[in-house]
């Protein structure tokens, strides 16, 4: 897959070119493209002078990074302890069956992605679902329509 | 220098030296799968656990990984206390659950009397115990070709992007230090393949035996200023040649003496 990598130099320019900038650069790339294209990882390794293996290790370690294109709407279901107790599993199941994909997957039309995350620090509102940057909670199973609005 | 007691014997160690190195010096056998003197300790396998205490601890004990714990004056170490053996037994039991087909793990477990795991077996598990030796050693070699990828259940060792690693030189240091022989490689017809990357092997000009990869030899030549000709001959042939050279030297000696 070829991606327009023209945004990369601008991102690199924001940070000093060394290993410490790695996460910040990856975050910006993720934000720009909604995922981390392979070519961008290679370019990052080259520009920051960090081994490609380290770039790959970091980009696969954090949930915030994705190596595959994600949907326009990323639905992140919190499955942390509190949300789990308050029924996160049922919400996850409902979203999965509505969109016909599993957590970690993206609909073929690139509209939706479902992901699970650990505690997001909003236990008071458990169970929590984050749609792109916006937090929803407490979410009921029947709230799926609201979460998927724009489908 | 500090004085500490290991299994009842007073021994000396450098201040801050890790217990495992003192234990090894004393020729005491303690399992340590993720340890290699060339790289920084990692504390991944937990097998090197020992019991420590001090006079002033009043009978209270602690259990620490000896590859990470520094020696200090007055420390009393027991490498095979009953509790330590129990802990190791639990660890090998867990390893066995995760790597039920791994010969090295099966053997180690048997040493601790564990013949089948008491935990639930991972069915399609592999033999990588995620000790991180391969990646640390590759880093130490200066290549940084492989790393751990992902985390939690999905964590694994892999080249970047799951493709043949661009920085790999085929030096085999990772494969030959893997405690469970998990890293596969094959050498055939002048080529070595590891991590799906194919390397040309050098051939000894003396006996025709295949030696190291050309890429690795070139790297050593460049980094260590070794002439390339050095690698065009294998170790055995080097030694044979050495005998000839030494022979010549002795005969000169004789001539000089007469
Ligand atoms: S491949 Fe071998 S050396 Fe590398 S982490 Fe796995 S068990 Fe350890
Ligand atoms: S064979 Fe490749 S991956 Fe293994 S230690 Fe050598 S350079 Fe690293
Ligand atoms: S567990 Fe979901 S916000 Fe804390
Ligand atoms: S050798 Fe100490 S934890 Fe593995």
């Amino acid at each position: 897959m070829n991606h327009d990598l023209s945004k990369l130099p601008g991102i690199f320019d924001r940070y000093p070119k060394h290993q410490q900038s790695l996460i910040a650069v990856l975050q910006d790339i993720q934000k720009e493209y909604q995922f981390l294209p392979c070519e961008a990882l290679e370019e990052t390794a080259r520009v920051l002078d960090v081994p490609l293996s380290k770039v790959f290790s970091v980009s696969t370690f954090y949930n915030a990074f994705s190596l595959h294109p994600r949907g326009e709407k990323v639905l992140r279901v919190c499955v942390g302890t509190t949300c789990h107790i308050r029924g996160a599993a049922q919400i996850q199941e409902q979203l999965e069956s509505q969109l016909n994909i599993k957590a970690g997957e993206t609909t073929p039309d690139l509209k939706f992605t479902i992901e699970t995350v650990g505690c997001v620090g909003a236990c008071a509102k458990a169970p929590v679902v984050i749609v792109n940057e916006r937090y929803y909670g407490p979410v009921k199973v029947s709230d799926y329509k609201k979460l998927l609005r724009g489908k | 220098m500090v004085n500490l007691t290991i299994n009842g014997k007073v021994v000396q160690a450098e201040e801050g030296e890790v217990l495992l190195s003192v234990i090894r010096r004393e020729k005491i056998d303690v399992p340590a799968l993720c340890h290699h003197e060339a790289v920084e300790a990692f504390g991944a396998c937990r097998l090197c656990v020992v019991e420590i205490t001090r006079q002033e601890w009043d009978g209270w004990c602690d259990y620490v990984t000896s590859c990470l714990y520094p020696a200090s004056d007055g420390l009393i170490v027991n490498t095979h206390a009953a509790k330590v053996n129990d802990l190791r037994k639990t660890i090998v039991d867990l390893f066995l659950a995760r790597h039920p087909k791994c010969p090295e793990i099966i053997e180690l477990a048997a040493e601790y009397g564990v013949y089948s795991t008491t935990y639930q077996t991972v069915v399609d598990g592999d033999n990588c115990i995620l000790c991180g030796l391969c990646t640390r050693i590759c880093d130490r070699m200066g290549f940084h070709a492989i790393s751990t990828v992902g985390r939690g259940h999905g964590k694994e060792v892999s080249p970047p992007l799951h493709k043949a690693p661009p920085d790999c030189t085929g030096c085999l240091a990772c494969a030959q230090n893997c405690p469970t022989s998990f890293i596969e490689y094959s050498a055939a017809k002048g080529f070595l393949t590891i991590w799906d990357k194919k390397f040309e092997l050098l051939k000894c000009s003396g006996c025709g035996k295949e030696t190291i990869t050309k890429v690795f030899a070139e790297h050593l030549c460049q980094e260590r200023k070794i002439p390339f000709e050095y690698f065009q001959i294998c170790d055995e042939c080097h030694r044979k040649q050495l005998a000839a050279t030494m022979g010549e030297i002795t005969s000169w000696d004789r001539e000089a003496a007469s």
Side-chain angles (χ1 to χ4, degrees), chain B residues 152-174:
Chain B
H153 292 300
K155 186 169 165 179
E156 60 176 342
V157 169
S158 165
L161 310 172
H162 299 297
K163 290 192 296 212
D167 299 325
C168 179
T169 59
C171 73
L172 290 188
C174 56

Side-chain angles (χ1 to χ4, degrees), chain B residues 37-69:
Chain B
E37 37 316 318
V39 294
E40 216 176 305
F42 200 48
C45 76
R46 317 310 288 175
L47 284 164
C48 67
V49 62
V50 294
E51 181 179 272
I52 56 163
T53 185
R54 294 177 164 279
Q55 211 75 59
E56 63 274 21
W57 283 2
D58 226 3
W60 187 81
C61 294
D62 198 3
Y63 299 86
V64 297
T65 42
S66 60
C67 67
L68 285 164
Y69 202 87

Side-chain angles (χ1 to χ4, degrees), chain B residues 143 169-171 199-202 211-232:
Chain B
F143 301 132
T169 59
C171 73
F199 297 91
E200 183 187 336
L201 282 166
L202 294 182
T211 57
I212 60 176
T213 68
K214 188 159 173 252
V215 179
F216 185 41
E218 280 164 356
H219 170 83
L220 290 171
C221 293
Q222 207 182 355
E223 288 287 300
R224 301 290 145 94
K225 311 267 175 290
I226 301 170
F228 192 73
E229 295 73 56
Y230 182 85
F231 296 106
Q232 285 173 322

Side-chain angles (χ1 to χ4, degrees), chain B:
Chain B
M1 281 300 202
V2 296
N3 289 306
L4 64 157
T5 313
I6 298 187
N7 297 354
K9 183 179 163 200
V10 178
V11 298
Q12 284 206 320
E14 299 278 342
E15 171 107 58
E17 183 179 2
V18 292
L19 292 181
L20 186 62
S21 101
V22 193
I23 291 169
R24 292 252 161 112
R25 197 159 55 234
E26 290 303 308
K27 308 255 181 297
I28 301 167
D29 190 26
V30 161
L33 291 187
C34 70
H35 178 79
H36 190 294
E37 37 316 318
V39 294
E40 216 176 305
F42 200 48
C45 76
R46 317 310 288 175
L47 284 164
C48 67
V49 62
V50 294
E51 181 179 272
I52 56 163
T53 185
R54 294 177 164 279
Q55 211 75 59
E56 63 274 21
W57 283 2
D58 226 3
W60 187 81
C61 294
D62 198 3
Y63 299 86
V64 297
T65 42
S66 60
C67 67
L68 285 164
Y69 202 87
S72 59
D73 238 341
L75 199 69
I76 303 165
V77 181
N78 188 338
T79 61
H80 287 78
K83 180 85 185 282
V84 171
N85 285 330
D86 279 353
L87 283 170
R88 282 200 202 119
K89 212 169 157 165
T90 309
I91 299 166
V92 291
D93 196 348
L94 285 162
F95 270 132
L96 198 58
R98 214 172 145 165
H99 315 285
K101 294 194 207 95
C102 177
E104 288 85 355
I105 294 296
I106 294 174
E107 192 182 322
L108 184 69
E111 277 174 41
Y112 285 84
V114 181
Y115 297 97
S116 63
T117 181
T118 53
Y119 299 93
Q120 201 178 342
T121 304
V122 175
V123 223
D124 45 2
D126 57 28
N127 287 358
C128 171
I129 61 166
L130 292 174
C131 69
L133 254 187
C134 52
T135 61
R136 283 177 291 146
I137 281 177
C138 186
D139 286 349
R140 185 76 184 86
M141 298 287 293
F143 301 132
H144 311 280
I146 50 173
S147 63
T148 53
V149 171
R151 65 162 163 192
H153 292 300
K155 186 169 165 179
E156 60 176 342
V157 169
S158 165
L161 310 172
H162 299 297
K163 290 192 296 212
D167 299 325
C168 179
T169 59
C171 73
L172 290 188
C174 56
Q176 261 142 19
N177 282 297
C178 171
T180 57
S181 323
F182 176 69
I183 302 172
E184 288 174 2
Y185 63 93
S186 61
K189 298 196 188 97
F191 288 93
L192 172 97
T193 309
I194 183 166
W195 299 115
D196 283 335
K197 189 169 173 182
K198 201 169 169 190
F199 297 91
E200 183 187 336
L201 282 166
L202 294 182
K203 261 205 184 81
C204 172
S205 61
C207 63
K209 200 175 86 179
E210 285 163 0
T211 57
I212 60 176
T213 68
K214 188 159 173 252
V215 179
F216 185 41
E218 280 164 356
H219 170 83
L220 290 171
C221 293
Q222 207 182 355
E223 288 287 300
R224 301 290 145 94
K225 311 267 175 290
I226 301 170
F228 192 73
E229 295 73 56
Y230 182 85
F231 296 106
Q232 285 173 322
I233 207 156
C234 75
D235 283 353
E236 283 83 355
C237 290
H238 265 301
R239 274 182 224 115
K240 279 183 199 152
Q241 283 193 346
L242 197 64
T245 328
M246 292 295 269
E248 258 170 53
I249 296 172
T250 4
S251 58
W252 292 337
D253 280 356
R254 249 182 262 123
E255 270 164 36
S258 64

Side-chain angles (χ1 to χ4, degrees), chain A residues 38 41-42 51-54 56-57 60-61 63, chain B residues 139 144-151 160-162:
Chain A
C38 290
L41 295 183
E42 283 162 351
L52 182 60
S53 63
K54 297 287 169 286
F56 193 57
S57 188
T60 54
F61 185 83
N63 278 338
Chain B
D139 286 349
H144 311 280
I146 50 173
S147 63
T148 53
V149 171
R151 65 162 163 192
L161 310 172
H162 299 297

